[in-house]
């Protein structure tokens, strides 16, 4: 018996050794293959404003994860940058020769990026047939000298977002003029709990001195028939910031806070996050913003879904809107231009654009997607209409500096640090100084 047991033990040991060796032989090639796969993997670095915002950031990340699952050889790394710091960040990275493969870009900044040779020409990279799938005016808005600087991902035209349920309860219609707007704002500014203190305001003004504040104020200014910068009949740049119409517009804006009291406290510090939070918490009836605000507000308060309506900005002389166009440029220095372009095409595919719109509210840029019924609801119909009134960004090299010029002026007035004449004269002087330096 002992002999038989010994033989069995020896056979078992041999069998285990064989299995171990066999397993080792089969494991080794897999490890090598995995290593080779990692070596061949391409990493795309992308400078994204969306990664600093919600719900846009997680939505963009989800799309990237989906893309990476479909393309195992691609790894996408996002670098988040707040919108108000974007231009400085891109300039610093370009100057240091460290631009990522793609970076967020806008019509206001693209000429500066073009002068730095930071962005690749997407017209030749993507092809004219593919570019023809987008709205032509958006392609023009994203181009310099016929060369596409960034692929338009979404549009955020500035329009009026208002509480449709509150307006209907008060028997109010969507404001067509600024007089209509003021009447509605006065009616909806109230003490709702009877403690003698106002706790609901008609208008959530974004009064910060930055590009976010300017993005609201400049189209507002244009509804009064004022161009912050334009060309005269001889093709010479001029500003209209000193005109009586400009004075009327600045005065109306400041009076909403200083005279009529329809704006909640903290106006000069209230940026987009603060004002969106006020609307999400039932504190304001109207705000000027892009469609992305719909997603931001309803993500904080899902009970407001279906209660936020949109309309083009009221008018004094004309309706107006910016395109609010955003997208990605591919860095001229990128070693992976084709791979980056493929990912950008993935972002703007119909199903992905509609998914991003449903989460963030941002409007698609391709013609086919814009016809979808998803965009005809009261939430988005006003934004789609507003695009009809969108004006092209002036092709003035230092146009982004007008953001500071106009926001400084209204802050001086709201804080009562300057009279209306002093504020607009200073704004006009700064504008004319910029114009004099234009080559």
């Amino acid at each position: 018996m002992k002999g038989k047991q010994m033989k069995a033990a020896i056979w078992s040991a041999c069998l285990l050794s064989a299995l171990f060796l066999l397993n080792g032989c089969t494991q080794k090639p897999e490890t090598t293959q995995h290593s080779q796969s990692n070596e061949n993997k391409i990493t795309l670095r992308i400078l994204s404003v969306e990664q600093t915002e919600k719900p846009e950031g997680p939505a963009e990340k989800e799309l990237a994860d989906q893309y990476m699952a479909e393309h195992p050889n691609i790894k996408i790394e996002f670098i988040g940058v707040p919108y108000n710091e974007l231009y400085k960040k891109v300039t610093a990275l370009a100057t240091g020769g460290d631009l990522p493969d793609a970076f967020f870009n806008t019509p206001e900044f693209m000429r500066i990026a073009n002068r730095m040779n930071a962005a690749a020409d997407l017209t030749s990279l993507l092809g004219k047939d593919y570019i023809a799938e987008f709205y032509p005016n958006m392609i023009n808005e994203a181009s310099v000298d016929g060369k596409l600087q960034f692929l338009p991902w979404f549009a955020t035209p500035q329009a009026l977002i208002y509480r449709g349920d509150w307006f209907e309860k008060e028997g109010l219609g969507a404001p067509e003029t600024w007089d209509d707007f003021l009447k509605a704002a006065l009616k909806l500014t109230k003490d709702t709990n009877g403690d003698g203190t106002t706790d609901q305001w008609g208008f959530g003004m974004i009064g910060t001195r930055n590009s976010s504040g300017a993005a609201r104020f400049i189209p507002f200014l244009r509804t009064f028939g004022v161009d912050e910068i334009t060309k005269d009949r001889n093709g010479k740049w001029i500003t209209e910031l000193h005109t009586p119409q400009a004075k009327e517009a600045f005065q109306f804006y400041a009076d909403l806070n200083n005279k009529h009291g329809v704006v909640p406290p903290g106006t000069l510090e209230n940026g987009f996050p603060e004002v969106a939070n006020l609307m999400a918490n039932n504190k304001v009836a109207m705000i000027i913003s892009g469609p992305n605000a719909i997603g931001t507000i309803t993500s904080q308060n899902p009970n407001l879904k279906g209660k936020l309506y949109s309309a083009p900005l009221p008018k004094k002389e004309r309706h107006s809107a910016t395109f609010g166009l955003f997208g990605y440029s591919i860095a001229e220095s990128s070693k992976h231009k084709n791979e980056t372009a493929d990912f950008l095409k993935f972002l703007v595919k119909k199903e992905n654009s509609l998914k991003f719109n449903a989460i963030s509210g941002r409007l698609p840029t391709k013609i086919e997607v814009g016809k979808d019924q998803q965009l005809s609801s009261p939430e988005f119909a006003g934004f789609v209409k507003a695009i009809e009134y969108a004006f092209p960004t002036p092709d003035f090299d230092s146009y982004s500096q007008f953001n500071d010029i106009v926001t400084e002026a209204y802050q001086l007035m709201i804080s009562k640090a300057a009279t209306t004449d002093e504020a607009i004269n200073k704004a006009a002087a700064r504008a004319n100084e910029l114009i004099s330096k234009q080559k």
Side-chain angles (χ1 to χ4, degrees):
M1 293 294 291
K2 288 182 179 179
K4 290 182 179 179
Q5 287 176 342
M6 180 64 73
K7 288 181 179 178
I10 292 172
W11 275 108
S12 296
C14 290
L15 181 59
L16 287 171
S17 297
L19 288 172
F20 177 79
L21 289 172
L22 180 61
N23 188 48
C25 290
T26 55
Q27 287 291 329
K28 191 173 182 179
E30 288 180 0
T31 303
T32 302
Q33 189 176 27
H34 180 68
S35 176
Q36 289 173 342
S37 175
N38 279 336
E39 290 176 358
N40 294 330
K41 206 160 192 171
I42 294 172
T43 298
L44 303 181
R45 297 167 62 234
I46 297 178
L47 186 69
S48 168
V49 165
E50 300 304 86
Q51 289 305 305
T52 65
E53 299 182 0
K54 291 183 178 179
E56 290 85 353
E60 183 185 45
K61 180 68 167 50
E62 185 178 334
L63 288 172
D65 288 343
Q66 182 182 338
Y67 183 83
M68 287 188 284
E70 296 175 10
H71 301 78
N73 64 319
I74 299 292
K75 179 182 179 183
I76 295 172
E77 290 183 356
F78 286 112
I79 306 166
V81 57
Y83 174 56
N84 289 322
E85 298 175 15
L86 174 67
Y87 303 159
K88 289 182 180 178
K89 184 73 173 179
V90 172
T91 301
L93 291 173
T95 303
D98 192 30
L99 270 177
D101 296 284
F103 60 90
F104 223 64
N105 208 346
T106 68
E108 291 79 10
F109 183 69
M110 67 181 181
R111 287 176 179 78
I112 295 175
N114 184 51
R115 286 206 307 270
M116 294 189 294
N117 198 30
D121 173 16
L122 299 189
T123 303
S124 58
L125 188 61
L126 300 175
K128 291 184 177 179
D129 289 343
Y130 178 75
I131 292 173
E133 297 175 15
F134 294 77
Y135 289 104
N137 54 0
M138 293 188 183
I139 291 299
N140 289 336
E141 183 73 352
S143 300
V144 175
D145 298 331
K147 296 179 179 179
L148 187 63
Q149 299 295 301
F150 64 90
L151 185 66
W153 181 15
F154 54 77
T156 58
Q158 298 296 311
L160 191 70
I161 299 175
Y162 63 99
R163 284 291 297 265
D165 54 335
W166 290 0
F167 269 64
E168 290 172 359
K169 185 178 179 181
E170 298 286 353
L172 297 167
E176 174 68 14
T177 68
W178 288 112
D179 287 341
D180 298 335
F181 172 89
L182 181 56
K183 289 176 183 175
L186 289 168
K187 197 167 188 177
L188 291 165
T189 298
K190 58 178 67 176
D191 168 16
T192 62
N193 57 15
D195 68 354
T197 303
T198 300
D199 53 24
Q200 176 184 298
W201 291 268
F203 179 48
M205 178 187 290
I206 294 174
T208 45
R209 182 178 173 177
N210 54 26
S211 54
S212 185
R216 277 79 183 173
F217 185 79
I218 288 177
F220 162 82
L221 183 67
R222 289 199 172 220
T223 66
F224 281 70
V226 179
D227 289 348
E228 68 287 356
I229 186 167
T230 187
K231 287 183 176 178
D232 64 14
R233 292 179 179 177
N234 298 318
K236 182 181 177 183
W237 288 111
I238 60 170
T239 182
E240 296 178 345
L241 288 175
H242 62 288
T243 61
Q245 292 85 351
K247 182 176 180 178
E248 183 181 11
F250 275 98
Q251 189 67 60
F252 182 89
Y253 209 63
D255 282 351
L256 291 172
N257 182 80
N258 296 353
K259 179 180 179 181
H260 303 298
V262 298
V263 177
T267 307
L268 301 184
E269 290 77 35
N270 283 341
F272 172 70
E274 291 78 17
V275 169
N277 181 264
L278 286 169
M279 183 163 249
N281 286 284
N282 303 308
K283 295 298 182 184
V284 296
M286 297 180 281
I287 65 172
I288 295 175
S289 197
N292 54 302
I294 300 286
T296 301
I297 294 166
T298 55
S299 67
Q300 295 181 46
N301 184 355
N303 291 328
L304 292 184
K305 288 183 178 178
K307 297 178 180 177
L308 302 178
Y309 294 4
S310 64
L313 287 185
K315 65 179 180 180
K316 178 68 178 180
E317 297 291 335
R318 63 194 182 196
H319 292 297
S320 182
T322 54
F323 281 105
L325 203 58
F326 295 89
Y328 279 114
S329 290
I330 297 177
E332 181 61 42
S333 57
S334 172
K335 296 179 180 177
H336 308 298
K337 290 187 178 68
N338 289 327
E339 291 82 358
T340 307
D342 191 64
F343 173 62
L344 299 188
K345 287 182 177 179
F346 176 82
L347 287 180
V348 297
K349 288 175 68 174
K350 181 176 182 178
E351 60 270 28
N352 294 333
S353 289
L354 290 175
K355 182 178 181 181
F356 197 67
N357 166 260
I359 295 172
S360 70
R362 298 179 187 248
L363 301 186
T365 52
K366 297 183 79 171
I367 299 170
E368 176 195 11
V369 189
K371 297 176 181 176
D372 195 274
Q373 288 185 345
Q374 182 172 309
L375 302 174
S376 62
S377 68
E379 287 177 311
F380 296 118
F383 290 109
V384 175
K385 184 72 175 175
I387 289 179
E388 295 179 19
Y389 308 116
F391 61 89
T393 303
D395 58 348
F396 185 79
D397 285 349
S398 302
Y399 182 67
S400 60
Q401 295 190 40
F402 275 84
N403 291 345
D404 190 64
I405 291 174
V406 298
T407 56
E408 181 193 37
Y410 69 58
Q411 282 214 339
L412 287 171
M413 292 178 63
I414 292 172
S415 66
K416 301 179 181 177
T419 65
T420 306
D421 286 332
E422 289 170 345
I424 66 170
N425 286 340
K426 182 174 184 180
R430 290 186 62 191
N432 283 322
E433 183 179 358
L434 267 185
I435 291 170
S436 68
K437 294 178 180 177
Q438 176 86 342
K439 296 179 181 179

